Amino acid sequence: RIGSGNMDPLPLWLCGVQMVALNYQTPGPALLLNEGLFRSYNGGCGYVLKSPDLQGAPCPRSAGGGGSGRPGRLRLRVLCGHRLPRPEAPLPESAEVSDAGHAREGIAVSSPLVAVGLEPGGQTSQTRAVMNDGYHPVFNHEVEFSVSDAPFHILTFEVRDFPTSRPIAHRAVRLDAVREGFRWLALRSALGNTVRHGGLLVYVQFCTS
């Protein structure tokens, strides 16, 4: 490979491929899926066991529930966010310089929206944008996803700034690590750093029909 882009690792993982090399230079969907697969288990060390069916063992499944044993549908409500990051922006030529020698960025407050996805299957949904309120935006967005019989599923959240379409935060988790009820979802910045005190409040429900 000459470019620094990434392929989609999901089809290879679903076939049981032991190791898929990714380029950490390029943030994007591939690295988001990588985080969702490996960060939730085993201390986030980057090693997880394959599911029993990928190891050749019979795996009991609930009706339409997928390899994780979950019921057939996921009902998710994105309620609100808290202290979401500001979008990154280039410094103007007239930017002030602090005593420590750092330029002070004149960045406008964010106007966030949240894109939610479930892989495999490419199911996605997007909240409305909340203009000029990154501190406590209220989305109250409900979506329902079908859960297939794949060996595992990854639930992704991407927070974007509406005017610039820039990603400002994200999180991905394996579906079998998600519990029902009201859940606080801590976020990471576009560069993968923890967003201090920032996150999303969501409500999760699994159902059979």
Side-chain angles (χ1 to χ4, degrees):
R1 295 172 61 87
I2 298 176
S4 56
N6 276 314
M7 60 183 174
D8 181 3
L10 196 58
L12 302 175
W13 290 335
L14 292 174
C15 292
V17 172
Q18 190 82 4
M19 183 179 292
V20 180
L22 295 176
N23 188 341
Y24 271 69
Q25 269 184 288
T26 311
L31 289 187
L32 186 59
L33 292 174
N34 187 71
E35 175 182 321
L37 181 62
F38 292 107
R39 192 178 292 276
S40 300
Y41 289 107
N42 206 12
C45 70
Y47 176 82
V48 295
L49 289 175
K50 296 179 184 179
S51 60
D53 46 350
L54 286 178
Q55 298 180 50
C59 180
R61 305 174 189 268
S62 57
S68 61
R70 289 293 194 187
R73 300 193 71 80
L74 165 67
R75 189 171 295 153
L76 182 73
R77 182 182 297 170
V78 182
L79 297 168
C80 63
H82 182 64
R83 295 186 69 168
L84 302 180
R86 296 179 180 181
E88 296 178 1
L91 289 175
E93 294 181 1
S94 59
E96 299 179 8
V97 178
S98 66
D99 295 336
H102 301 296
R104 297 173 182 168
E105 300 185 34
I107 303 176
V109 68
S110 60
S111 297
L113 59 83
V114 182
V116 187
L118 183 65
E119 296 288 352
Q123 301 175 81
T124 60
S125 182
Q126 184 172 290
T127 71
R128 65 181 180 88
V130 179
M131 302 305 294
N132 300 318
D133 185 4
Y135 191 82
H136 185 64
V138 176
F139 302 107
N140 200 26
H141 176 80
E142 188 169 330
V143 60
E144 191 169 298
F145 291 138
S146 298
V147 181
S148 70
D149 61 352
F152 60 85
H153 297 82
I154 299 175
L155 187 61
T156 63
F157 297 82
E158 292 183 273
V159 183
R160 301 175 189 151
D161 181 54
F162 177 70
T164 63
S165 298
R166 290 176 178 168
I168 55 178
H170 66 261
R171 184 67 187 273
V173 291
R174 276 181 54 155
L175 193 58
D176 51 6
V178 176
R179 293 182 293 171
E180 288 189 297
F182 291 98
R183 297 295 163 196
W184 173 254
L185 189 73
L187 295 174
R188 295 184 173 272
S189 71
L191 297 178
N193 301 315
T194 301
V195 178
R196 293 187 62 188
H197 312 300
L200 298 173
L201 181 65
V202 300
Y203 181 81
V204 181
Q205 182 181 10
F206 295 99
C207 50
T208 55
S209 61

